[in-house]
Amino acid sequence: MDNRNIEFACVDVERQNRQGFAEVVFCQGKTHEQVVSILEILLRECQGNVLATRVDPILYDYVAERLEGLEYNDLARTMVWRRGPQAEEGRILVISAGTSDVPVAEEAAVTASVMGNRVERLYDVGVAGIHRMLEHMDVIRQARVLVVVAGMDGALPSVIGGLVDTPVIAVPTSVGYGASFGGLAALLTMLNSCAAGVGVVNIDNGFGAGRLASTINRLGGVTI
Amino acid sequence: MDNRNIEFACVDVERQNRQGFAEVVFCQGKTHEQVVSILEILLRECQGNVLATRVDPILYDYVAERLEGLEYNDLARTMVWRRGPQAEEGRILVISAGTSDVPVAEEAAVTASVMGNRVERLYDVGVAGIHRMLEHMDVIRQARVLVVVAGMDGALPSVIGGLVDTPVIAVPTSVGYGASFGGLAALLTMLNSCAAGVGVVNIDNGFGAGRLASTINRLGGVTI
Amino acid sequence: MDNRNIEFACVDVERQNRQGFAEVVFCQGKTHEQVVSILEILLRECQGNVLATRVDPILYDYVAERLEGLEYNDLARTMVWRRGPQAEEGRILVISAGTSDVPVAEEAAVTASVMGNRVERLYDVGVAGIHRMLEHMDVIRQARVLVVVAGMDGALPSVIGGLVDTPVIAVPTSVGYGASFGGLAALLTMLNSCAAGVGVVNIDNGFGAGRLASTINRLGGVTI
Amino acid sequence: MDNRNIEFACVDVERQNRQGFAEVVFCQGKTHEQVVSILEILLRECQGNVLATRVDPILYDYVAERLEGLEYNDLARTMVWRRGPQAEEGRILVISAGTSDVPVAEEAAVTASVMGNRVERLYDVGVAGIHRMLEHMDVIRQARVLVVVAGMDGALPSVIGGLVDTPVIAVPTSVGYGASFGGLAALLTMLNSCAAGVGVVNIDNGFGAGRLASTINRLGGVTI
Amino acid sequence: MDNRNIEFACVDVERQNRQGFAEVVFCQGKTHEQVVSILEILLRECQGNVLATRVDPILYDYVAERLEGLEYNDLARTMVWRRGPQAEEGRILVISAGTSDVPVAEEAAVTASVMGNRVERLYDVGVAGIHRMLEHMDVIRQARVLVVVAGMDGALPSVIGGLVDTPVIAVPTSVGYGASFGGLAALLTMLNSCAAGVGVVNIDNGFGAGRLASTINRLGGVTI
Amino acid sequence: MDNRNIEFACVDVERQNRQGFAEVVFCQGKTHEQVVSILEILLRECQGNVLATRVDPILYDYVAERLEGLEYNDLARTMVWRRGPQAEEGRILVISAGTSDVPVAEEAAVTASVMGNRVERLYDVGVAGIHRMLEHMDVIRQARVLVVVAGMDGALPSVIGGLVDTPVIAVPTSVGYGASFGGLAALLTMLNSCAAGVGVVNIDNGFGAGRLASTINRLGGVTI
Amino acid sequence: MDNRNIEFACVDVERQNRQGFAEVVFCQGKTHEQVVSILEILLRECQGNVLATRVDPILYDYVAERLEGLEYNDLARTMVWRRGPQAEEGRILVISAGTSDVPVAEEAAVTASVMGNRVERLYDVGVAGIHRMLEHMDVIRQARVLVVVAGMDGALPSVIGGLVDTPVIAVPTSVGYGASFGGLAALLTMLNSCAAGVGVVNIDNGFGAGRLASTINRLGGVTI
Amino acid sequence: MDNRNIEFACVDVERQNRQGFAEVVFCQGKTHEQVVSILEILLRECQGNVLATRVDPILYDYVAERLEGLEYNDLARTMVWRRGPQAEEGRILVISAGTSDVPVAEEAAVTASVMGNRVERLYDVGVAGIHRMLEHMDVIRQARVLVVVAGMDGALPSVIGGLVDTPVIAVPTSVGYGASFGGLAALLTMLNSCAAGVGVVNIDNGFGAGRLASTINRLGGVTI
């Protein structure tokens, strides 16, 4: 199976290199050997950034001994090889409601960044202290795309979506207890948002949110 | 069955008259004749306010032809006979997120009012335009008890609960569509509220919220 | 309540007129009189397009007798007063899987159109005959934003999302029977899409999808 | 992130010191170092009681070696620094249905106590032997606020709520097996309570119940 | 299909006549003509009691014009032809929590009665006023089998089951609103009953409860 | 808490000794020391059988070193001290569908046995090979009470309930995978049984089934 | 939209005529005019059988006045134009558990028949009287493909699947009440069938079952 | 219990040997000793292939030391003793959407193969890159039966089912995260497939799919 995976990856690489996109390896469920094999070929055959997600610390140690030039983000659990240019403007802003939501927010931020976007972060501004969020309205309004990450009641995207005309990508997290049911409560909150103009991704899917934010941000042009 | 119901009601009446509470008849599922029979005895044997809930317009017409002195609230679908004193201070504030949530909010407001409390209303201040709610923070902060009614994403109690130290009773409504699942989304949001100090009642249960608010408000003393 | 609604609407109008956006009235749950009152003020005080959604034929007849210049779309159940300019380029493409999904697709299309976007439609290209969709890949690839509407298995956004780099907004519909559970099946399919870069809105929420598509499309610049 | 957390905490402290409230640190999901850092600042900068919840024994050992003056409750898994006055009257009564529900009940009791309230406990009086509860009706009736904690069938708050006019805060626990579905059964029971005047918090959320009870109890005046 | 139904019914009749059981026709989903055809044959070919359930008033009128000797219970929506002996002792007691639960309780009571058992009723003794139930403990303790019918929180079987050593059959009803989810809340409560020795039947299934109660009661011997 | 538990247990013991019932200790969630303390008092103060359920092998070893005369059933995970008489007739038959359901079936069988009933077992006769069950119809028909334990599709109680007039207690187990959802599928099957006269207990609740079977069986008289 | 639908239908017709398959029109959600337009073209342009499903009596009357040669099945709610040959052997057997499941069974039977298969029926042989089914084992064993339709507990496919080596297609129906949750209980039962070799289709999806049975049956060769 | 299992197995063996089927041992939940005992008898008394499923590596090591001639498939977690003939034609094609779905696909493939069928595999052709699947349409069209295995959005069977007239068996897997809810999302997608002619088995039930595919494939005749 390795062969097909790797060949296929490169076909995509060719197509995506023209677009300044990164190659992505989803590591969960793959063996350490498989991850290194795929990464070796990507780094040799392709020219843009390379991203690996769902990387636990043990896998990171294994890879770091074998491949050079990587950055590890232990919150996002991502590895990145930055080799392409980075955008100077057209900010994606990643917002998290609580500190426990940060790992998912970081996965979104790293993903968007490695795909060539300029990314900023605004963390721990959940609705339980809404003034914290309101103090940063100017930063929020200047962003081109907002990724809003929240667990528990998942109410933050509704509040922000009601204050801006920017596209909002809402990411429910599995943070919570009791009747949060693994993120279901936050997911339903976001789908039922009173504020129109909010698109929702799967629970804990920081990668998907970062990818969608990048796709949207490129519409505005990305100066590199 | 009528006899037992009515006898029991009066036993309670005696106990509750000392507390200034109203008698309550839940009309849904009762025949028009049953409702009138129960009300006649309550009005004759008891001395405080009398409240009937879940009163559709046809039942109202039927009762209004037979019993005098009632007020009908067509939003709350309540009938009230006001015969007891009303509190002058110690405000319960009933807040609704949207205009569609108003019937449930009114049921809560009428219930609390008829139980002797001073009640004020603040409607249509949902999170999709959070500045509307923020403009009324002084009114919100002066209340002794807050009843916050919201459907769809149910996010309003979280936001308000994070701004005050007042007891907050959250009432999810079945207002919404798609994945609101008859109020389940709002219910889960409220149970998972990031703001501590929020108690939740059943979906659309304005009566229960008004009753609980009244019980709490009496702790602060009610000047009549 | 009418007064506050109307005042608030105009406040928003001022803000939104600068952006070329339409005013929107959600008619479900409002009386005929309320709808006309709100529309009269919007048409008098504001200058852009005006949109009313969830308009059943009886409401349409009522309004059409009282207000001029409206277009009624009986599939989308929308009324529109077009008074602003329309974009010439930067296409939003609305795709529906089946003919039963068309009402929701139309609500999305009308919403995006009345907010100033150029909108095209591609209907009845569901995965049960995937060649129908593949024959239109050039049209699909040329769009700036894709709104993909599907009920039953909800599989179409996954297939399309795997073929393009365009932002995809997925709209599950309540079309289906048995274990579709009112659109839940399609909703879960879309949230779990194998294709990254898909944002999901609530079941049957064509308006939300059109609004989000418009917000995204404006990033690419809208020549009017 | 630490800095912002800590700064924010102190802002709140200033506001809350005037109210005799405790500072609270939710430890789950925080590193040992983070917990100690936050606690050090709270203990130095603030003057009231300090509470830490969700403290497992290993964290307790870590903190106890570094900070003095704490009380550890191994059932509630709380750490408390008592430095403020305690109320002499206006009792909050915490009731548990079974012995397995005691940890959640204790979290509620410690929370209410550390916020300055007088708290009493009545444990193991579930409905499977209703006479046990009935024997304590005088104690139950004398309380200002009742916190009723129950897992499995969650029936206790309904029974108690039908016997008193006191505000009842119902706390479902995840205690149970089979079709209890992690506390869902008890949660639904409580939301559907036949007794009006019951407010429900999230599954296992002893802290939230204690916080709400404290907010309510302060309405009755707290002699310190 | 009629023929097969009727033939099969008689085969069963022969077997059941020896046991003094009644023949049962479940009318919901059958045409008026089908019901009369089946009843005619049962009344001619068999000798014991005959029971028809789920009989709406229109069907009753139709049957009453064509077949003699029936008793109609408009609460239970049952028709009965009593032709067999009735037991003098060995009481089944049917208890309902609220007046809205009475139709289901009556279906259980009629079913058990027509199967030859002595049946008594105790209605409107739900847990919201537990003293009402406690006043009847002697009647409850003297029964051989208890059928306990409750909607909303469904807590009554737990309370009764904890006070007696008698077999308890719990019947959840769909009475309730909001998060009762059509009787699901009461069903889960009963399955999670703290009191051992409670068997549960389907929501609103009064017939099944009456049938099971009869089967149990016959173990104790039935003097006819 | 120990004291209250133990005192209460003995109060019940006195009442239950007259009925030949066993004392029961539910061990899950209790410490080893608590279990031994409770058992010591029960064995000293009471005279009938003693049963402990949910006993894992480590607890068994701990208890066996301290208390004499116990029987451990490693399938049922029960400990029993048999000191009372055993019934000679009036058989309870415990039936399991598959071998994986045997632990729950054994818990039911041991419970019924230790409460003084004569118990027989018929295991591994599920509906996937219905002839296995049919071969034992004479044994099944001779039982006074049937306890039918099944996981996966949970279909066995329906089939057996359609063939006998004996009370059937259905016990769903959590055995299964995929869409069995921890026993929910079997639970729903049993509640919707086409065969009337089936009472259902909680998932995996062998103890409850054995207890209910014993209560029913005593109606038929138990010769000891 | 009509044009595209009709053109597409004919393209499929050409492909399917070679296979002896019928053309199918799903009428639910289409206007009377649309149905007639599509049928006119199918009947003119194609040569095999034509099937219309989900046809209510009013639509039937409308069509019958305009198009000749149709057979209406009022249980299955299907219209058929039989113009192709019918198979003489290779029987598909459609089995229903109860009489209420017959409409779905008939939809399956008509669908399979109109696709050229020989179809037999065996109705009302559910597990509540398993001997009825066992009496027909020879008929069941002689079939090539079995379609087994059941509501309520949905247990019949498990029992039959354990007795034969024939492919079994299980169809859950929405027949039932209480905790059948619109067919969910039967669906889960079938998915968790102890008998291997059972394939499940959607709730009430008789058409899908008939179509799958036909596809399977053709593998065995169809003598026409 | 061992004896009954083993005897029963042989009874089935005799019946199945005539059909060229394999004997199957489901190992999950059985002790190592039980597995070896059953296998020893099967290998001695029966003559066809023998299959053991749900074999973890530790069990494999245990068995491999004691019994000869087995093949272990570590992806499918199966052990096979091949002793019967293999079909030369009449291909079953097993398709997987992603590499994470391969273990379930392999269980299906091994099961079908060991039951005497010719099996081919086509892996990693999910809808996120639909061209991969389309490139293999000739292989897909030549198969007699298709087993399509997919997790996450579960969309692949819909796409394939719309392109072929072959029976499709859809197998949802528990692969996914967030709102996949352990395979529920994929299961619902498949049940709601827009393509008729798709039969679904339980989540992760590769064995059931292989068994059903084999039963279907035998209808077409199997040349051995």
Side-chain angles (χ1 to χ4, degrees), chain D residues 106-119:
Chain D
E106 278 294 305
E107 191 184 75
V110 169
T111 299
S113 165
V114 83
M115 285 175 173
N117 303 280
R118 185 174 157 209
V119 178

Side-chain angles (χ1 to χ4, degrees), chain E residues 1 4-5, chain F residues 194, chain G residues 75 93-109 120-129 132-133 136 140 146-151 154-157 160 169 171 173 175 190:
Chain E
M1 230 165 320
R4 190 187 308 110
N5 266 329
Chain F
C194 299
Chain G
L75 280 171
L93 180 64
V94 178
I95 303 173
S96 90
T99 54
S100 307
D101 304 316
V102 166
V104 177
E106 279 294 304
E107 192 184 74
E120 297 192 5
R121 290 150 168 94
L122 179 59
Y123 288 169
D124 198 22
V125 295
V127 297
R132 289 177 294 173
M133 185 269 280
H136 297 89
I140 294 172
L146 297 170
V147 174
V148 186
V149 182
L156 190 59
I160 291 178
I169 302 168
V171 192
T173 73
V175 170
M190 292 172 181

Side-chain angles (χ1 to χ4, degrees), chain B residues 94-178:
Chain B
V94 179
I95 304 173
S96 90
T99 55
S100 307
D101 304 317
V102 167
V104 177
E106 278 294 303
E107 192 184 72
V110 170
T111 299
S113 164
V114 82
M115 285 175 174
N117 302 279
R118 185 174 157 210
V119 178
E120 298 193 3
R121 291 152 169 92
L122 180 59
Y123 289 168
D124 197 22
V125 294
V127 297
I130 201 70
H131 57 280
R132 289 178 293 172
M133 186 269 283
L134 294 173
E135 286 165 9
H136 298 89
M137 276 316 295
D138 52 342
V139 181
I140 293 171
R141 285 226 168 78
Q142 286 161 18
R144 269 213 204 132
V145 188
L146 297 170
V147 175
V148 186
V149 183
M152 298 186 72
D153 57 21
L156 189 58
S158 287
V159 175
I160 290 179
L163 292 169
V164 299
D165 291 321
T166 321
V168 173
I169 303 168
V171 192
T173 73
S174 55
V175 170
Y177 48 97

Side-chain angles (χ1 to χ4, degrees), chain C residues 24-30 32 35 39 50-64 70-81 107 110:
Chain C
V24 186
V25 183
F26 185 82
C27 297
Q28 191 174 300
K30 292 200 175 67
H32 290 191
V35 170
L39 285 169
V50 171
L51 168 66
T53 63
R54 308 277 158 137
V55 181
D56 60 51
I58 295 170
L59 174 58
Y60 160 64
D61 287 343
Y62 184 90
V63 176
L70 64 84
E71 299 167 25
Y72 184 57
N73 182 323
D74 61 349
L75 280 172
R77 300 199 304 155
T78 52
M79 295 187 298
V80 171
W81 285 260
E107 192 184 74
V110 169

Side-chain angles (χ1 to χ4, degrees), chain A residues 185 188-189 192, chain B residues 150-155 157 170-175 179-192 200 203:
Chain A
L188 291 180
T189 307
N192 289 284
Chain B
M152 298 186 72
D153 57 21
V171 192
T173 73
S174 55
V175 170
S180 74
F181 298 125
L184 178 62
L187 171 63
L188 291 180
T189 307
M190 291 172 180
L191 287 168
N192 287 284
V200 184
I203 298 164

